């Protein structure tokens, strides 16, 4: 949702969203790449949607889940969730 609302919807010529789901050793890695520039006000404590995402992950997985968002390229934002799984795949 953030990738559309705060990313590509603000770009005059649109953009793209790519979703990658990777199982690597005992981790499930979900990466969402979206066109746009990271708005640091969304990452701050006032960013309700991102804070809710982190809280949900904490409730479901505790310390076995990580969430981060960062500018990965000049015009691309990466949102990444990493969940430690119980069994290796």
């Amino acid at each position: 949702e953030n990738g559309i609302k705060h990313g590509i919807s603000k770009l005059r010529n649109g953009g793209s969203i790519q979703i990658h789901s990777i199982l690597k050793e005992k981790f499930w890695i979900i990466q969402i790449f979206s066109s746009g520039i990271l708005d640091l006000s969304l990452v701050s404590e006032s960013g309700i949607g991102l804070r809710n995402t982190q809280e949900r992950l904490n409730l479901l997985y505790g310390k076995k889940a990580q969430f981060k968002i960062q500018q990965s390229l000049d015009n691309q934002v990466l949102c990444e969730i990493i969940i430690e799984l119980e069994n290796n795949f």
Side-chain angles (χ1 to χ4, degrees), residues 51-66:
R51 187 172 61 238
N52 285 344
T53 299
Q54 183 65 62
E55 289 175 5
R56 284 186 195 125
L57 287 169
N58 288 342
L59 286 171
L60 291 169
Y61 302 103
K63 294 183 179 185
K64 293 185 177 194
Q66 301 172 35

Side-chain angles (χ1 to χ4, degrees), residues 13-78:
N13 295 321
S16 66
I17 292 181
Q18 297 177 12
I19 301 172
H20 300 223
S21 176
I22 305 158
L23 287 175
K24 184 175 182 181
E25 297 175 11
K26 62 179 184 173
F27 297 99
W28 180 21
I29 303 167
I30 303 163
Q31 298 174 318
I32 303 165
F33 296 90
S34 59
S35 301
I37 304 296
L38 181 60
D39 181 349
L40 294 177
S41 68
L42 296 175
V43 181
S44 71
E45 293 182 18
S46 64
I48 294 170
L50 297 177
R51 187 172 61 238
N52 285 344
T53 299
Q54 183 65 62
E55 289 175 5
R56 284 186 195 125
L57 287 169
N58 288 342
L59 286 171
L60 291 169
Y61 302 103
K63 294 183 179 185
K64 293 185 177 194
Q66 301 172 35
F67 172 73
K68 62 184 173 182
I69 186 167
Q70 64 190 25
Q71 192 74 43
S72 67
L73 297 173
D74 287 343
N75 194 32
Q76 186 177 68
V77 175
L78 167 62

